[in-house]
């Protein structure tokens, strides 16, 4: 039996793995050695976790590098040396011809900390390119931007997930936790058994909403107005914690003035939420000792996502919650390493440990660890969507190396982005299966998957955990670390390029030391002994280990003056308003049994693979002549798709919902970006629906 964690979402449920004749045996793993801060998974797994071994023996695994034959256009098997030689020489040639930014990298929030770190180093040291970003921009980047602005640091949850049970009220804004991290929803049930209340804000009555006490169903894209209206009522009720606001925040008086005109009837007109329901929630928040606000993608995946999160942080600050036990604000990050993957340098503007690529002292620190001159580290590059949009254009990169993302399915405005990928001189994809993106590549590199390698992940709570290798990989695959080091060496990069995860982690510790996400005090041994360590965890002082930091903000926020910033935001609404031609709101998201672009889960036989569908209310279905199970045509200005109708009365009559796990809906989604996080507006566009 080997200790590991699930290959999928940010809950990173504990697993015990053992090899079996059919492949891999998986069992949930109880929390060991733990008297405080138990893991958020409650010792359980969801359906995806239980069946994750299905890819082990699968014939769909890639087991040989492939190169596209220029004459026939077909992919043919080659050995690793040939594949890496070809990639390295073409990267070098593109650099020689067009400069270092001709080569670009796209990473993923599912990669281990070690891989994210080494990928960032590959870009800056081996390729000298500024052009690296990752799919985390699709995910929680608006919450990250808001957290940095308001609190001075971005750790999704500043407290362990099980703290939910200590709250009096938990507000879930755009989270369908019961389907997207099912074991975590048990904390909601226990909170309610204790008499606590759950509020869900979602245009759909989801399985999560079915477990709530109050459900608000705003029109997609109207969350800022809703939050402004709640703060208006909280202030009117005299429920602002004036001492907290005075001592622990700045800017609150401006915020207070800015919500003065957001009376409930105005909010009702914009959000469709009856003013009585808004008052009910405001009263609940105003009268509770411990309020916890949690946002997820429904709140964040908008061109106004950062503003929505800031507006909710203002509510939490007004009530005096951040830093109080069992209360505060947090973001439920999504991908397996959604937290760690955003800390160690695969972002366009970032160096390891949350260091800034534009800060001279940060550059000097990391350059010393890498053994290079700080002047050789490039500056800030393009954000994910802007990077993809620039591919193959005269000013843009000519090559892209993809690790850990299936762009063809998951990027917004996907038809245009797919055309950009096809226009490249060189597309290299490292994957475990032939994803829709790998199928377009010039070179495909087959890599190991989670149980076949080791490495650390940082879960949604900021808890750094360790996956151990449990089984031997199939012949012909190599780890991402091998691949990165193999390219770096062929490119003649300076410094060391270890391929053993623990050795890479030792270098990451040094690079992050003194940064905001400080991992210097975390070791593989400590993670093993403690079943996870929370960052920041600085290096030992006088031989004394730092305990790690499960809870932030008890005494101070991370801004130099220790205070949180209350920031004024205003309602702008969706980038694309409904019109006579496109009268319905289209929103997108997830179902329990599929994960992300589906590259992994659609290949697991035990999981239902029903294809995309359109959730539609009976009233709207009646108007367009749609019948349950029969095909519907959905169009936006960018594209169209057909999928069967699922007629349900749990969705607003002015909105349809389509899951994104199958190719289709992202041909329709809007690529309008949030001005500060550069997050695309996946969660609302204007569409036309016909039978
Ligand atoms: N089963 C499953 N679990 C997953 C994943 C998966 O693919 N499948 N992916 C993981 C990842 S990476 C992530 S990021 C998380 C995502 O986890 P969640 O954020 O919980 O998932 P979503 O379904 O994207 O969106 C949540 C809800 O937002 C609602 N919503 C849509 N528009 C709006 C709006 O304008 N305002 C509000 N308030 N709500 C709105 C949707 O109806 C939906 O129910 O899940 C993780 N877990
Ligand atoms: N319409 C719409 N679109 C969305 C969203 C939405 O809500 N609506 N959500 C967005 C969000 S939150 C996210 S996070 C993205 C996710 O979308 P993607 O970025 O496409 O993420 P995955 O589908 O997880 O793709 C990961 C790929 O990497 C491969 N892989 C897995 N592990 C490894 C590894 O260790 N190494 C390597 N090299 N490859 C590996 C998998 O097989 C898969 O092909 O989608 C976004 N797109
Ligand atoms: S909740 Fe997430 S981490 Fe846990 S088993 Fe399911 S997919 Fe895996
Ligand atoms: Mo995500």
């Amino acid at each position: 039996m080997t200790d590991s964690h699930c290959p999928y979402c940010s809950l990173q449920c504990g697993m015990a793995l053992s090899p079996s004749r059919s492949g891999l045996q998986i069992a949930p793993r109880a929390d060991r050695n733990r008297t405080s801060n138990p893991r958020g998974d409650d010792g359980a797994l969801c359906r995806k976790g239980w069946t994750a071994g299905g890819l082990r023996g699968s014939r769909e695994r890639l087991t040989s590098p492939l190169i596209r034959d220029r004459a026939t256009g077909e992919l043919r098997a080659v050995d690793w040396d040939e594949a890496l030689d070809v990639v390295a020489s073409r990267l070098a040639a593109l650099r020689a011809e067009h400069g270092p930014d001709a080569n670009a990298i796209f990473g993923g929030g599912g990669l281990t900390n070690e891989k994210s770190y080494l990928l960032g180093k590959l870009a800056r040291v081996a390729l000298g390119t500024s052009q690296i970003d990752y799919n985390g921009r699709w995910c929680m980047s608006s919450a990250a931007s808001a957290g940095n602005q308001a609190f001075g640091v971005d750790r999704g949850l500043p407290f362990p997930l099980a703290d939910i049970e200590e709250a009096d009220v938990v507000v879930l804004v755009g989270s369908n936790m019961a389907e997207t991290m099912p074991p975590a929803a048990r904390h909601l049930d226990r909170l309610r058994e204790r008499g606590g209340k759950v509020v869900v804000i979602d245009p759909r009555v989801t399985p999560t909403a079915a477990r709530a006490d109050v459900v608000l169903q705003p029109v997609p894209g109207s969350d800022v107005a809703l939050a402004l209206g709640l703060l208006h009522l909280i202030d009117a009720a005299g429920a602002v914690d004036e001492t907290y606001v005075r001592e622990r925040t700045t800017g609150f008086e401006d915020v207070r003035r800015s919500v003065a005109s957001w009376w409930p009837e105005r909010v009702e007109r914009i959000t469709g939420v009856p003013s009585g329901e808004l008052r009910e929630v405001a009263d609940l928040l105003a009268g509770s000792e411990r309020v916890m606000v949690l946002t997820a993608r429904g709140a964040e995946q908008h061109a106004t996502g950062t503003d929505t999160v800031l507006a909710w942080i203002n509510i939490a600050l007004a009530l005096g919650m951040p830093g109080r036990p069992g209360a505060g604000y947090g973001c439920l990050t999504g991908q397996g390493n959604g937290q760690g993957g955003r800390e160690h340098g695969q972002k366009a503007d970032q160096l390891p440990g949350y260091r800034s690529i534009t800060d001279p002292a940060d550059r000097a620190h990391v350059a010393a660890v890498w053994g290079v001159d700080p002047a050789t580290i490039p500056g800030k590059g393009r954000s994910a969507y802007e990077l993809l949009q620039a591919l193959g254009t005269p000013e843009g990169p000519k090559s892209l190396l993809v690790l850990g993302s299936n762009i063809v399915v998951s990027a917004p405005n996907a038809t245009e982005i797919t055309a950009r990928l096809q226009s490249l001189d060189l597309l290299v994809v490292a994957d475990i299966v032939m994803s829709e993106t790998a199928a377009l590549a010039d070179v495909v590199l087959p890599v190991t998957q989670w149980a076949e390698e080791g490495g650390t992940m940082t879960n949604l709570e900021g808890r750094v955990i360790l996956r151990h290798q449990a089984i031997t990989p199939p012949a012909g695959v190599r780890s991402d670390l091998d691949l990165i080091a193999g390219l770096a060496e062929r490119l003649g990069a300076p410094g060391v390029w270890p391929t053993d995860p623990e050795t890479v982690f030792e270098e990451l510790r040094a690079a992050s030391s003194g940064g905001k996400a400080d991992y210097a005090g975390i070791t593989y041994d400590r993670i093993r002994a403690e079943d996870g360590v929370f960052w920041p965890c600085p290096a030992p002082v006088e031989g004394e280990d730092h305990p790690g930091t499960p809870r932030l903000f008890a005494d101070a926020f991370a801004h130099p003056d220790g205070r949180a910033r209350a920031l004024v935001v205003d309602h702008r609404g969706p980038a694309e308003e409904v019109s006579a031609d496109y009268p319905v709101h289209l929103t997108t998201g997830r179902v329990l049994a599929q994960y992300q672009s589906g590259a992994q889960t659609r290949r697991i036989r035990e999981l239902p693979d029903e294809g995309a569908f359109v959730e539609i209310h009976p009233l709207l279905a009646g108007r367009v002549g749609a019948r349950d199970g029969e095909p519907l045509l959905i169009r936006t200005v960018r594209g169209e798709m057909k999928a069967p109708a699922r007629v349900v009365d749990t969705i607003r009559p002015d909105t349809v919902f389509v899951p994104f796990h199958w190719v289709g809906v992202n041909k329709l989604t809007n690529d309008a970006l949030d001005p500060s996080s550069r997050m695309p507006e996946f969660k609302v566009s204007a569409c036309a629906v016909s039978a």
Side-chain angles (χ1 to χ4, degrees):
M1 295 267 262
T2 309
D3 286 357
S4 190
H5 294 266
C6 177
Y8 305 124
C9 87
S10 62
L11 196 56
Q12 284 299 290
C13 299
M15 283 182 168
L17 303 179
S18 36
S20 75
R21 253 196 319 168
S22 57
L24 180 63
Q25 211 182 340
I26 296 179
R29 175 162 62 84
D31 223 352
R32 224 173 280 151
N33 305 334
R34 191 172 290 286
T35 51
S36 59
N37 307 323
R39 286 199 322 258
D41 61 34
D42 205 38
L45 298 175
C46 81
R47 219 168 150 183
K48 297 184 296 303
W50 278 108
T51 55
L55 259 187
R56 157 76 176 150
S58 163
R59 260 184 261 129
E60 308 225 39
R61 275 297 290 284
L62 293 168
T63 51
S64 166
L66 304 167
I67 292 188
R68 196 168 300 279
D69 189 292
R70 283 193 179 175
T72 66
E74 300 293 312
L75 287 167
R76 67 180 165 88
V78 296
D79 67 29
W80 268 92
D81 276 335
E82 182 180 347
L84 291 176
D85 287 347
V86 166
V87 173
S89 68
R90 292 183 67 183
L91 293 173
L94 286 168
R95 179 179 184 166
E97 193 179 342
H98 305 282
D101 281 355
N103 297 313
I105 295 182
F106 200 86
L111 301 176
T112 61
N113 288 316
E114 292 79 0
K115 295 178 186 184
S116 314
Y117 168 80
L118 214 60
L119 199 59
K121 182 174 170 182
L122 179 77
R124 277 64 176 243
V125 176
L127 292 169
T129 182
S130 67
Q131 303 296 301
I132 174 168
D133 215 67
Y134 80 126
N135 69 7
R137 294 270 183 197
W138 308 155
C139 195
M140 67 320 118
S141 59
S142 291
S145 167
N148 277 322
Q149 292 179 56
F151 302 128
V153 67
D154 158 39
R155 201 182 87 183
L157 290 178
F159 38 69
L161 194 67
D163 281 12
I164 286 178
E165 295 178 28
E166 313 290 314
D168 296 323
V169 183
V170 170
V171 186
L172 293 169
V173 193
S175 159
N176 183 12
M177 187 189 261
E179 288 195 273
T180 54
M181 30 193 82
R186 295 175 173 207
H187 300 299
L188 300 177
D189 296 342
R190 268 195 228 112
L191 167 71
R192 295 179 73 204
E193 280 160 24
R194 254 199 46 231
K197 300 270 191 251
V198 176
V199 178
V200 165
I201 303 178
D202 194 309
R204 303 184 303 140
V205 181
T206 59
T208 311
R211 295 158 92 151
D213 300 276
V214 189
V215 183
L216 302 183
Q217 270 186 280
V219 66
S222 67
D223 291 82
V224 177
L226 187 89
L228 296 174
L230 284 171
L231 186 53
H232 171 98
L233 289 170
I234 288 167
D235 189 30
V240 172
D241 183 338
E242 304 291 347
T243 315
Y244 180 98
V245 161
R246 196 169 51 245
E247 290 173 0
R248 299 211 52 189
T249 72
T250 64
F252 190 76
E253 289 313 315
D254 290 339
V255 169
R256 192 193 304 257
R257 267 191 298 279
S258 74
V259 299
S261 61
W262 283 96
W263 51 89
E265 292 67 27
R266 182 179 173 203
V267 176
E268 176 173 336
R269 273 200 304 279
I270 295 173
T271 63
V273 172
S275 57
E277 292 182 10
L278 196 72
R279 286 200 166 89
E280 186 191 344
V281 172
D283 288 345
L284 189 59
L285 301 185
S288 299
E289 193 73 11
R290 282 162 300 178
V291 174
M292 184 181 282
V293 176
L294 302 173
T295 61
R297 302 310 82 75
E300 299 156 15
Q301 286 174 328
H302 292 275
T304 53
T306 304
D307 286 352
T308 294
V309 176
L310 286 172
W312 276 100
I313 290 176
N314 288 340
I315 292 175
L317 293 172
L319 295 167
M321 297 299 157
R324 187 181 291 190
Y329 164 78
C331 152
L332 297 160
T333 293
Q335 297 183 82
N337 198 25
Q339 180 68 51
R342 70 202 206 221
E343 298 165 1
H344 298 297
Q346 60 174 335
K347 272 180 86 174
D349 53 356
Q350 183 200 67
L351 292 172
Y354 267 149
R355 286 191 150 88
S356 161
I357 204 159
T358 51
D359 181 277
D362 283 351
R363 294 169 63 87
H365 175 91
V366 175
V369 175
W370 286 348
V372 300
D373 176 350
T376 63
I377 297 180
K380 181 173 159 178
R382 293 179 173 89
S383 75
Y385 189 73
E386 290 156 305
L387 174 61
L388 297 181
Q389 246 180 340
L391 295 177
T393 64
E395 323 74 54
K398 311 286 181 255
S399 84
L400 186 71
L401 169 62
V402 182
L403 268 81
S405 181
N406 187 6
I407 297 167
V408 169
V409 181
S410 56
N413 196 12
T415 308
E416 189 187 316
I417 293 307
T418 303
R420 294 286 99 233
L421 292 171
Q422 286 166 323
S423 74
L424 286 166
D425 289 5
L426 175 67
L427 176 63
V428 182
V429 176
D431 208 307
I432 55 189
V433 294
M434 186 61 91
S435 71
E436 286 77 2
T437 309
L440 299 182
D442 302 294
V443 182
V444 179
L445 299 170
V447 293
T448 47
Q449 62 168 342
W450 101 112
E452 299 158 1
E453 58 182 24
T456 62
M457 308 283 280
T458 305
N459 81 355
L460 77 171
E461 311 165 288
R463 190 192 308 251
V464 185
I465 55 174
L466 183 56
R467 292 173 175 174
H468 289 103
Q469 181 179 346
I471 48 178
T472 39
V477 309
R478 288 194 188 171
S479 76
D480 290 299
L481 296 179
D482 270 315
L483 181 168
I484 296 169
L487 286 179
E489 277 150 18
R490 284 172 176 78
L491 289 161
V496 291
W497 295 87
T499 58
D500 159 56
E502 189 166 1
T503 313
V504 179
F505 190 77
E506 291 300 307
E507 194 181 305
L508 181 160
R509 289 175 62 199
S512 76
S513 182
K516 277 188 174 153
D518 192 335
Y519 282 42
I522 306 178
T523 61
Y524 274 31
D525 283 342
R526 268 194 74 179
I527 302 176
R528 267 190 284 267
E530 300 167 37
D531 202 7
V533 181
F534 291 81
W535 72 258
C537 182
V541 177
E542 291 170 12
E544 197 69 29
D545 277 342
H546 187 285
T549 316
R551 291 174 189 78
L552 296 171
F553 312 147
D555 308 311
F557 296 97
H559 285 301
D561 62 2
R563 286 164 176 261
R565 306 284 182 265
L567 295 164
V568 174
V569 297
D570 201 4
H571 166 75
R572 282 182 284 136
E576 191 173 79
E577 296 286 356
V578 287
S579 62
D581 290 340
Y582 300 99
V584 176
H585 303 282
L586 166 66
T587 192
T588 63
R590 296 161 165 80
V591 299
L592 198 161
Q594 291 293 328
Y595 188 69
Q596 311 277 62
S597 72
Q600 289 157 279
T601 45
R602 281 186 277 121
R603 291 178 165 84
I604 289 183
R605 262 173 317 187
E606 297 92 323
L607 293 174
D609 178 8
E610 71 253 78
F613 56 85
V614 184
E615 259 187 32
I616 183 169
H617 190 276
L619 283 176
L620 181 57
R623 211 174 312 140
V624 301
R627 271 204 294 245
D628 194 53
E630 291 185 5
L632 273 181
L633 179 71
I634 314 267
R635 290 181 295 117
T636 68
V637 288
R638 290 161 296 276
E640 59 179 54
M641 73 178 289
K642 270 194 208 139
R646 220 178 248 191
V647 181
V648 294
D649 60 8
T650 46
I651 188 165
R652 289 180 57 92
D654 56 8
T655 302
V656 292
F657 168 88
V658 182
F660 83 100
H661 310 294
W662 296 271
V663 176
V665 78
N666 273 328
K667 295 180 183 162
L668 280 65
T669 47
N670 194 352
D671 58 1
L673 301 183
D674 181 285
S676 81
S677 68
R678 317 312 280 164
M679 155 84 91
E681 187 140 274
F682 287 117
K683 284 291 190 268
V684 56
S685 43
C687 74
V689 181
S690 51

